[in-house]
Amino acid sequence: MKLSDCAEVRTGLILSRKLAREKTENRYSLLNLKSFNDDATLNMQTLDVFDAKEPLNPEYLTHKGDIIVRTSSPYTAILIDEQTSGMVVSSNFVIIRCERKKILPEYLFWYLNTAEIKKDIFVNSAGNMLAAIKPQYFCDMELALPSLENQRRIADFNLAARKELELLNRLREEKEKFYQACLEKMQRKVENENCHTDSENLTIFQCEYADFALAKSNPRGNIERRREK
């Protein structure tokens, strides 16, 4: 079965056709290449703003369950949820909308991000000067689909694993901050102790130097002190 038999595949909007020269009421968040993280997540902080001349056709906006794929390396695919719906998809991406009775978007999301598919996409884009993959590639993609039940098992496991890895990564980042703060605190303590020790050594040196200077200026007194000892 080809992907086009179980999903709608289309390219995104050519922005220049709908771009307004000033701010309008038809303002949208715009996906861009920078917003696609390598781990197949979306960076909401790097989205652009798109002012359109008129309300855009919903087919060019993201909807829950859509899969958006970069047409350029590293060909990352992301899965749209409620938080990332309603965004403009430009012609830098391919939009894939699944027929849920045949293929689950969560399963296809996992499948398109596997190393095997990424390698195949790279091979098929090698003849292109910009190394961009054409939407037709996805239309012609042959799939050996498991049952919907097995698709669900794979999809659920993948999403759960990704969530766990995300939490572990956050924990790692927090641990790094904690350990760094501890090390800096220890360093400050050592510096303060060294500063205190240096101050004591300076005082001792000053006293010894004062005795030496006094003895040099009064040799007789120094001899008498030796006799007294």
Side-chain angles (χ1 to χ4, degrees):
M1 177 185 293
K2 292 184 178 181
L3 181 57
S4 58
D5 295 328
C6 55
E8 176 190 356
V9 180
R10 63 173 306 115
T11 188
L13 175 69
I14 299 176
L15 300 180
S16 59
R17 296 178 179 178
K18 298 293 183 180
L19 179 63
R21 295 183 179 180
E22 56 186 15
K23 293 182 180 179
T24 68
E25 295 180 352
N26 305 305
R27 172 166 284 199
Y28 302 87
S29 294
L30 173 65
L31 294 176
N32 58 50
L33 297 178
K34 294 183 298 182
S35 62
F36 271 52
N37 296 324
D38 291 341
D39 62 354
T41 58
L42 190 64
N43 186 344
M44 304 291 284
Q45 306 301 319
T46 58
L47 296 173
D48 290 328
V49 175
F50 183 77
D51 287 293
K53 299 177 181 178
E54 57 190 23
L56 297 178
N57 190 323
E59 67 185 10
Y60 293 116
L61 303 179
T62 56
H63 301 275
K64 182 179 179 180
D66 286 357
I67 296 174
I68 312 299
V69 188
R70 283 186 53 153
T71 58
S72 58
S73 180
Y75 314 108
T76 308
I78 66 168
L79 179 65
I80 299 298
D81 57 19
E82 293 179 353
Q83 295 181 340
T84 54
S85 62
M87 299 179 181
V88 179
V89 184
S90 73
S91 55
N92 291 321
F93 307 97
V94 170
I95 306 169
I96 303 177
R97 295 189 170 115
C98 300
E99 296 181 24
R100 284 186 170 271
K101 292 182 178 181
K102 297 180 180 179
I103 183 171
L104 300 179
E106 297 84 359
Y107 172 80
L108 185 60
F109 165 65
W110 164 78
Y111 183 75
L112 292 177
N113 282 307
T114 59
E116 181 181 357
I117 295 301
K118 291 285 189 70
K119 181 179 180 180
D120 190 65
I121 294 176
F122 179 79
V123 170
N124 281 272
S125 64
N128 191 314
M129 183 178 297
L130 299 177
I133 194 68
K134 296 180 180 180
Q136 191 62 39
Y137 166 84
F138 296 99
C139 293
D140 297 335
M141 179 182 288
E142 292 286 347
L143 300 173
L145 291 178
S147 66
L148 289 176
E149 181 181 357
N150 287 332
Q151 287 184 42
R152 174 56 62 190
R153 289 176 181 174
I154 293 173
D156 287 348
F157 184 87
N158 178 55
L159 293 177
R162 289 174 56 82
K163 185 63 177 179
E164 181 180 357
L165 291 173
E166 180 184 353
L167 293 174
L168 289 173
N169 188 51
R170 290 182 183 179
L171 178 61
R172 180 185 62 80
E173 292 176 352
E174 292 300 320
K175 285 289 187 180
E176 286 181 351
K177 293 178 183 178
F178 172 74
Y179 293 142
Q180 185 62 31
C182 289
L183 289 169
E184 291 176 355
K185 183 177 181 180
M186 293 169 65
Q187 178 64 19
R188 288 195 297 269
K189 183 178 180 181
V190 170
E191 290 175 351
N192 290 336
E193 290 177 352
N194 289 340
C195 182
H196 181 68
T197 302
D198 291 344
S199 178
E200 291 179 346
N201 291 337
L202 179 61
T203 302
I204 294 172
F205 172 77
Q206 289 174 335
C207 292
E208 291 178 346
Y209 180 78
D211 289 343
F212 172 76
L214 179 62
K216 187 175 181 180
S217 62
N218 188 6
R220 180 180 293 274
N222 186 38
I223 294 174
E224 292 178 353
R225 281 196 298 273
R226 289 180 178 176
R227 288 176 178 177
E228 290 176 356
K229 294 180 179 180

